[in-house]
Amino acid sequence: MLTWLPDFAAFIETHADWAGVIIFLMAFAEGLPQFRERRSGVIINVTSAVTVKPLHLLSVYTASKAAVNAFTESLALELEPFDVRAHLVLPGRAPETSFGESARSRILIPEPYAPLAQSVFVAWQQSTTVTRGLDVAEAVWRVANDPSCPMSLAAGADAVALTSPA
């Protein structure tokens, strides 16, 4: 399905997510020794529930978020001996944000994929189970304040449904 994205756009979208996280942590590098010395701290990365259950038309987006997940999971192992936590918040589809419209405007759908894309977009519009901004804020707050919180936490009713065992 990568054929519907121009190569450069796919490259940028794939690398922007995980590279942004790594660049931020490099900038934050002076803070990590303080976390280790204090033996406390929490790093929270917000990715997407599609990394648990892929959805149509989101292959590049899913890959970029999955890279952030893998990085965060590895970072959690490296920081665990210092009692520093790294967690993931996995939101679902959040139509109250501008992300969906922004993403759809960049997707170029070739003719052979048009029927699939149309059915996917209709299903998304008809879905009433979504993630609200408040769901994400509450999940981030829980991860930051609850040491017993799981490594990955779904945020939003649709994300909980996607990440729950079938």
Side-chain angles (χ1 to χ4, degrees):
M1 186 62 185
L2 288 179
T3 58
W4 50 261
L5 271 176
D7 290 342
F8 186 70
F11 175 83
I12 295 300
E13 185 169 337
T14 303
H15 293 82
D17 280 326
W18 63 264
V21 168
I22 293 169
I23 289 167
F24 171 79
L25 284 174
M26 288 171 60
F28 181 69
E30 292 182 26
L32 283 176
Q34 293 173 2
F35 276 16
R36 287 191 305 261
E37 288 170 21
R38 286 194 341 235
R39 302 195 68 79
S40 73
V42 183
I43 295 169
I44 304 168
N45 285 318
V46 179
T47 64
S48 176
V50 300
T51 59
V52 177
K53 182 180 181 201
L55 301 176
H56 290 96
L57 306 178
L58 297 174
S59 56
V60 173
Y61 175 79
T62 300
S64 68
K65 296 300 183 181
V68 175
N69 287 6
F71 176 79
T72 304
E73 290 165 353
S74 295
L75 184 63
L77 291 174
E78 293 170 12
L79 295 175
E80 188 177 36
F82 304 101
D83 299 320
V84 176
R85 298 183 291 125
H87 290 269
L88 294 162
V89 171
L90 308 175
R93 190 175 68 86
E96 72 181 30
T97 70
S98 61
F99 169 77
E101 194 56 42
S102 171
R104 276 184 67 179
S105 70
R106 293 187 322 219
I107 295 175
L108 304 174
I109 308 291
E111 185 56 37
Y113 291 100
L116 170 65
Q118 183 60 30
S119 67
V120 167
F121 293 152
V122 166
W124 286 350
Q125 290 173 342
Q126 293 174 345
S127 176
T128 57
T129 306
V130 297
T131 296
R132 299 169 300 123
L134 182 60
D135 297 327
V136 179
E138 288 173 347
V140 169
W141 187 91
R142 180 176 169 210
V143 166
N145 292 287
D146 181 359
S148 68
C149 194
M151 167 68 199
S152 298
L153 184 63
D158 59 332
V160 169
L162 278 174
T163 60
S164 295

